[in-house]
Amino acid sequence: MSEKIAILHHHHYWTEYLDFLLEDKENFALVSSELAPTVTFRGKALEPFNPDKYKTVLSAGRIWDQTKKNNLIVRFLHSPGFGCVPTIEAYAALQHYHQRCDYRFLVLDAHYRALMVMEGLSEALDFYRYQMLQDSKVSTIKADPMLYPFITTPKQSKQKPGTGLVALNWNCVFEDPKTLLKLIETLAKELELSIVLHPLTVHHPEFIQAIADHPQIKKVYFDLPRKEMISLYDAHEFIIFDGSGTGYEAMMRGCKPLLVTDLHYQKESETFHGALTGGYLPFQSYLELSQYKSFDNDAFLREHFPFLFQYSQQEAIAIAKSEIYQIDFN
């Protein structure tokens, strides 16, 4: 069995969270999840994950693959814009589907502290929230190196006034088309609109086509790597989002945030309820665009991502590597 740790590739935007480890080919091997939409990453074909070959597996999101008695490291940074609920759900899945495995579950320090005071959850989620807080195998991440390029990369262009980039969670594919039409038409009265579609919308080509054909959408972007997202943010004055972490990335590039809150999946999901009540989404509604008030992006980012202002990018990478290297399953 290989001594290397298998970095499990599922979605490319998950794998990007582990960029800082990919060049360490002596200690890590990038392998493809059985359920990955594509078995390549940045144009390179990946070997399929084999639980018999790699004892230790590292993932930046939920592990969907079958495991045996592997050691699992879940460095959970997926959907930071939605606060605690996805973190709890990922932890619950680890307990349900990988019971024969030893594990370590790593979560951002700010999110762990938020777990301590989270209220209004269902009985099931609150059970796992409490279990997480008691679990010695859960530890905190001090810094996320993936976010640094959003604050260190030189400006790619000057933001064009009167432009807006719409970025919604993948659940938008289940939204009533009339609601989305109203959203677009309301924004289009004052903004030139583009939209970036979540990678998971790939399973709904009819939705993608309907958006692409909409006369008030200037351009549709799909499943872009974060490096290309930076140029996109730099070209737009506003970011219109429903809680997606895309909104926070755009704010780091100086985009003005506008929040969408009238979609049915936001009203029905604990994920969105937790984000709205937990202080993750204190932004002005897109319906109030004509009376837009300035928002202090810097103060918000300092509160939710303090490490960006405490450590340099190289310091953050060194810290993140240490958090992985020092894990001992013996």
Side-chain angles (χ1 to χ4, degrees):
M1 185 171 287
S2 174
E3 293 296 321
K4 289 185 178 182
I5 295 176
I7 297 176
L8 190 62
H9 169 73
H10 196 284
H11 299 297
H12 77 73
Y13 62 98
W14 288 10
T15 304
E16 287 177 346
Y17 281 114
L18 300 170
D19 253 354
F20 64 95
L21 296 172
L22 297 183
E23 291 184 1
D24 185 357
K25 300 186 186 304
E26 180 180 348
N27 294 301
F28 297 91
L30 185 60
V31 301
S32 177
S33 165
E34 182 181 355
L35 300 178
T38 62
V39 295
T40 61
F41 182 69
R42 294 175 180 165
K44 294 184 179 179
L46 305 177
E47 66 169 298
F49 168 60
N50 180 350
D52 293 316
K53 181 176 180 179
Y54 295 99
K55 178 64 176 176
T56 303
V57 183
L58 169 62
S59 177
R62 289 175 62 168
I63 297 175
W64 301 96
D65 295 70
Q66 294 293 318
T67 54
K68 295 185 177 179
K69 292 184 178 180
N70 301 86
N71 297 325
L72 307 181
I73 304 172
V74 179
R75 188 175 178 274
F76 194 79
L77 289 167
H78 178 49
S79 294
F82 295 126
C84 299
V85 173
T87 306
I88 299 171
E89 291 174 334
Y91 177 80
L94 190 65
Q95 301 301 317
H96 274 291
Y97 302 114
H98 305 283
Q99 295 179 2
R100 300 175 64 195
C101 298
D102 197 0
Y103 65 89
R104 299 293 184 272
F105 193 95
L106 283 64
V107 60
L108 273 175
D109 182 67
H111 286 174
Y112 186 84
R113 286 185 279 108
L115 284 169
M116 299 174 70
V117 297
M118 192 71 184
E119 296 179 347
L121 295 173
S122 67
E123 183 177 349
L125 281 178
D126 202 47
F127 170 83
Y128 284 107
R129 179 190 73 88
Y130 183 77
Q131 184 172 327
M132 283 188 71
L133 295 173
Q134 306 300 313
D135 192 342
S136 62
K137 296 181 180 181
V138 176
S139 59
T140 57
I141 297 167
K142 290 184 179 179
D144 175 14
M146 187 277 293
L147 291 178
Y148 281 84
F150 294 106
I151 62 172
T152 60
T153 303
K155 281 286 186 180
Q156 307 295 298
S157 62
K158 188 174 182 179
Q159 289 173 331
K160 183 179 177 182
T163 55
L165 178 66
V166 180
L168 301 178
N169 176 266
W170 70 275
N171 286 284
C172 65
V173 299
F174 305 117
E175 189 59 55
D176 184 338
K178 293 180 181 178
T179 305
L180 290 177
L181 180 63
K182 178 184 176 183
L183 167 69
I184 293 170
E185 290 181 344
T186 300
L187 288 165
K189 292 176 183 178
E190 301 186 53
L191 297 177
E192 179 184 287
L193 294 177
S194 297
I195 188 167
V196 57
L197 294 174
H198 190 283
L200 291 186
T201 59
V202 68
H203 304 298
H204 303 269
E206 70 290 344
F207 174 83
I208 295 175
Q209 192 60 50
I211 293 295
D213 290 342
H214 198 289
Q216 290 174 305
I217 296 292
K218 179 185 177 184
K219 198 160 185 179
V220 177
Y221 301 91
F222 175 73
D223 199 16
L224 297 181
R226 287 184 171 94
K227 185 176 181 180
E228 294 182 32
M229 292 292 289
I230 289 175
S231 298
L232 202 56
Y233 299 145
D234 286 354
H236 291 85
E237 181 181 10
F238 289 92
I239 181 72
I240 301 100
F241 69 119
D242 57 0
S244 168
T246 303
Y248 298 136
E249 297 171 1
M251 288 170 62
M252 293 176 195
R253 303 302 294 176
C255 292
K256 300 173 182 176
L258 289 172
L259 186 63
V260 179
T261 59
D262 49 2
L263 303 175
H264 87 274
Y265 57 84
Q266 292 176 301
K267 300 170 185 175
E268 297 174 0
S269 169
E270 284 186 275
T271 296
F272 290 88
H273 174 75
L276 288 166
T277 59
Y280 291 91
L281 303 172
F283 312 115
Q284 186 172 330
S285 169
Y286 77 97
L287 295 170
E288 301 169 342
L289 174 58
S290 59
Q291 298 89 35
Y292 186 79
K293 301 171 185 175
S294 63
F295 185 83
D296 190 340
N297 287 13
D298 186 71
F300 177 85
L301 295 169
R302 285 181 182 274
E303 178 182 356
H304 287 273
F305 306 102
F307 55 85
L308 290 171
F309 307 91
Q310 295 170 342
Y311 310 117
S312 69
Q313 184 172 6
Q314 290 308 309
E315 288 172 332
I317 289 173
I319 290 169
K321 284 183 176 180
S322 176
E323 290 167 345
I324 298 295
Y325 292 154
Q326 69 185 8
I327 291 175
D328 184 5
F329 286 100
N330 298 320

